[in-house]
Amino acid sequence: MVHYHRSHQPRKPNADSTRDEDSHTIITLDCSTSSYYIKRTRPKLLSFLLLITFLSCCYVFAPLFLPTSFSFSHLYSPAIPSHGNSDGVDVNDSTCSSVSAGTICCDRSGFRSDVCVMKGDVRTHSASSSILLYNRRSSDNVSVGEELQHEKIKPYTRKWETSVMKTIDELSLISKKVNDVGGCDVQHDVPAVFFSNGGYTGNVYHEFNDGIIPLYITSQHFKKKVVFVILEYHSWWIMKYGDILSRLSDFPPIDFRGDNRTHCFPEAIVGLRIHDELTVDSALMKGNKSIVDFRNLLDQAYWPRIRGLIQKEERKAQEKSREQQISSSQSSDTSEQQYIEQQVQENPMKKPKLVILSRSGSRAITNENLLVKMAKEIGFMVKVLKPDSTTEMAKIYRTLNASDVMIGVHGAAMTHFMFLRPGSVFIQVVPLGTTWAAETYYGEPARKLGLKYVGYEIHPRESTLYEKYDKNDPILRDPTSINKKGWEYTKKIYLDSQNVILDLGRFKKRLHRAYEYTLSRSKLNLQHQPL
């Protein structure tokens, strides 16, 4: 499951307003806390002029007092408070961008992660959980072997979450003065990036949000000339994401604990940069790289494997076709029917494809079979996909990359929206008590990727909790008040004990809109194709 930022929930609206998922969000600025005020005894016209003057000055002079990367949208971010903007700054543009040889620079201003940069004679020493930086500079005040600098860091991107950070291995970064040192077991002529695969690794959301995307942000500017050194190395993770790693590095990753050899590097980055939930902020990247560029990298990573799968299927189909042609029992009617089916499959003008990411256990759609039937009646080609930890990522990517619409209930599997092509439709079914999380972790990132996002917030009657609690219970009528009781309580009620019974009449409206939208996009694409 997604581990929510539990201490940063959005404020409850002051007004008695209601909001449907199709409505527009209205933001009201409350200036009641301002230290500036106008006395009521002054004439109204003068008060109005003073207010206009003050706001104009704020608008003109604000850029002089705010950092260039400051965005006013940060004022309304419920997930991460403003603890400094360095989390998102690219390594080359950060506080440590001009590190001199023989020194260690650590940027600890970020709320999500710490990042240290070492330049010079960098050497691994896994037995002591250390990365050593040997310095041959002469100094009258420092004796040979004495430490010039000693930093400690846990290279994981959930720095604020104390409970999980306790489980992350800590590294010592030590700079020493030396006269002579031994040789290296393995000499690398490219930089290294050190990071941990501990924490919540094993959950697809955290694998992408806390690991893969930050790794892209931190290392892509090296253009594959970089070595990844991994703490808490998992062979299954390497197998699962090997296609992506091969697009980020030309070299095999190193198991920091399992490889006791001394690896030497000219430079090391320890820790990963992270921007926001499942996204890449182009304003903070060299070359203005964005989440779309990351998605393009996924395309490059998975298509070689997908082509192999397609070729294998084509060979099997050809073999089957030859067998059928040889068979004397084959009737002409059967051959004609098979020919028609083949033509339908190969026809580029086929029905829009809809994929339902199915869940088992909690937050499952209990009337999923009726949903499938309804979608087919509307005109979709429907596929039900139920990925698990053993499902090959390239196969999931192939299915979603070829689809026009994806439907799923809020949960870690929604991370797969990144496999959809920009312009596709993503319908997220939002159970009771998960509205803020669904929007923050998947809704907003999906829009940044260029998807047509629809958040379908269920009504109390569409939740199986409606059968367990009185209709006036706060669990049904006021989930926000329940969320305030803490993560464990919220998780037990809304994530672990709730399934969805879709109101198909209500949900059908969304499906019809998705269908019409998909058809209009297809027609538009055909109009722009060269003749």
Side-chain angles (χ1 to χ4, degrees), residues 215-450:
L215 187 61
Y216 170 80
I217 291 170
T218 307
S219 67
Q220 59 83 32
H221 66 282
F222 287 121
K223 302 185 184 303
K224 300 177 69 175
K225 303 305 177 184
V226 61
V227 175
F228 299 141
V229 185
I230 306 174
L231 283 73
E232 300 186 62
Y233 182 102
H234 303 292
S235 297
W236 64 263
W237 186 88
I238 300 297
M239 289 286 292
K240 186 174 183 178
Y241 294 109
D243 291 333
I244 299 177
L245 296 179
S246 68
R247 303 303 305 179
L248 292 173
S249 172
D250 284 332
F251 308 92
I254 296 171
D255 179 358
F256 182 78
R257 294 291 181 202
D259 190 340
N260 293 321
R261 296 176 298 174
T262 299
H263 291 263
C264 299
F265 302 94
E267 178 182 350
I269 298 172
V270 188
L272 301 178
R273 295 285 179 187
I274 180 171
H275 292 171
D276 207 338
E277 309 303 326
L278 295 175
T279 197
V280 177
D281 188 341
S282 60
L284 304 174
M285 296 286 288
K286 274 198 167 184
N288 296 320
K289 298 289 185 180
S290 68
I291 189 63
V292 175
D293 292 293
F294 174 77
R295 203 256 175 213
N296 290 340
L297 180 134
L298 296 182
D299 222 32
Q300 298 164 11
Y302 289 127
W303 262 105
R305 170 60 176 157
I306 292 172
R307 289 191 189 97
L309 292 172
I310 293 173
Q311 291 170 0
K312 185 177 180 180
E313 291 169 0
E314 288 176 345
R315 285 195 298 270
K316 286 185 177 181
Q318 291 171 359
E319 291 172 3
K320 187 176 180 180
S321 177
R322 283 195 296 267
E323 291 173 359
Q324 290 174 341
Q325 290 174 3
I326 294 173
S327 174
S328 59
S329 61
Q330 181 181 22
S331 67
S332 59
D333 291 341
T334 303
S335 298
E336 183 179 356
Q337 179 62 30
Q338 290 174 343
Y339 175 79
I340 293 173
E341 290 176 355
Q342 183 179 358
Q343 291 303 306
V344 170
Q345 291 175 359
E346 295 177 355
N347 187 354
M349 291 298 295
K350 42 193 170 182
K351 297 178 180 180
K353 293 181 180 179
L354 182 147
V355 175
I356 299 173
L357 280 182
S358 182
R359 292 182 63 94
S360 56
S362 65
R363 283 166 286 151
I365 299 176
T366 60
N367 56 345
E368 186 178 275
N369 59 330
L370 296 178
L371 171 62
V372 171
K373 181 181 178 181
M374 182 177 72
K376 288 181 177 179
E377 290 173 349
I378 289 174
F380 286 107
M381 291 178 60
V382 181
K383 181 177 181 61
V384 177
L385 183 65
K386 187 178 289 187
D388 57 32
S389 58
T390 63
T391 306
E392 186 179 351
M393 297 297 283
K395 292 181 178 180
I396 302 174
Y397 189 89
R398 179 187 179 185
T399 299
L400 291 174
N401 182 69
S403 69
D404 301 291
V405 181
M406 181 182 102
I407 298 174
V409 181
H410 172 68
M414 295 301 94
T415 306
H416 293 115
F417 77 76
M418 292 187 298
F419 293 2
L420 294 169
R421 293 165 301 184
S424 301
V425 180
F426 170 29
I427 302 177
Q428 181 177 203
V429 178
V430 183
L432 297 180
T434 66
T435 302
W436 174 83
E439 169 63 22
T440 301
Y441 296 106
Y442 303 113
E444 184 178 348
R447 294 188 193 94
K448 291 178 180 177
L449 183 58

Side-chain angles (χ1 to χ4, degrees), residues 348-355 375 378-381 401-407 420-427 451-454 509-527:
M349 291 298 295
K350 42 193 170 182
K351 297 178 180 180
K353 293 181 180 179
L354 182 147
V355 175
I378 289 174
F380 286 107
M381 291 178 60
N401 182 69
S403 69
D404 301 291
V405 181
M406 181 182 102
I407 298 174
L420 294 169
R421 293 165 301 184
S424 301
V425 180
F426 170 29
I427 302 177
L451 301 181
K452 182 71 173 179
Y453 173 73
V454 179
K509 298 176 183 178
R510 276 70 179 178
L511 275 189
H512 266 299
R513 293 174 193 169
Y515 182 78
E516 295 299 331
Y517 171 80
T518 301
L519 288 183
S520 64
R521 283 190 69 242
S522 298
K523 292 177 181 177
L524 186 63
N525 290 336
L526 285 174
Q527 289 175 1

Side-chain angles (χ1 to χ4, degrees), residues 90-204:
D90 184 81
V91 171
N92 289 320
D93 298 324
S94 72
T95 306
C96 300
S97 60
S98 57
V99 181
S100 58
T103 60
I104 303 172
C105 177
C106 290
D107 183 353
R108 302 186 187 278
S109 61
F111 180 69
R112 294 172 179 260
S113 66
D114 293 334
V115 177
C116 295
V117 179
M118 310 170 73
K119 287 189 178 180
D121 188 352
V122 179
R123 303 183 176 217
T124 61
H125 193 263
S126 59
S128 62
S129 299
S130 301
I131 307 175
L132 306 175
L133 178 60
Y134 287 141
N135 195 321
R136 294 179 177 81
R137 295 178 303 172
S138 61
S139 175
D140 297 334
N141 300 324
V142 180
S143 59
V144 174
E146 184 176 343
E147 292 184 2
L148 299 172
Q149 193 175 354
H150 191 149
E151 302 284 349
K152 291 183 178 294
I153 183 173
K154 293 186 175 185
Y156 190 61
T157 55
R158 299 187 79 82
K159 171 183 169 182
W160 79 93
E161 198 165 347
T162 306
S163 59
V164 73
M165 290 303 290
K166 289 180 180 178
T167 70
I168 303 299
D169 291 345
E170 186 174 61
L171 288 174
S172 291
L173 314 183
I174 303 171
S175 174
K176 286 185 176 182
K177 179 187 176 184
V178 294
N179 286 335
D180 190 24
V181 294
C184 300
D185 294 324
V186 185
Q187 180 70 58
H188 302 270
D189 58 1
V190 298
V193 171
F194 291 75
F195 63 95
S196 174
N197 253 345
Y200 298 128
T201 299
N203 173 291
V204 68

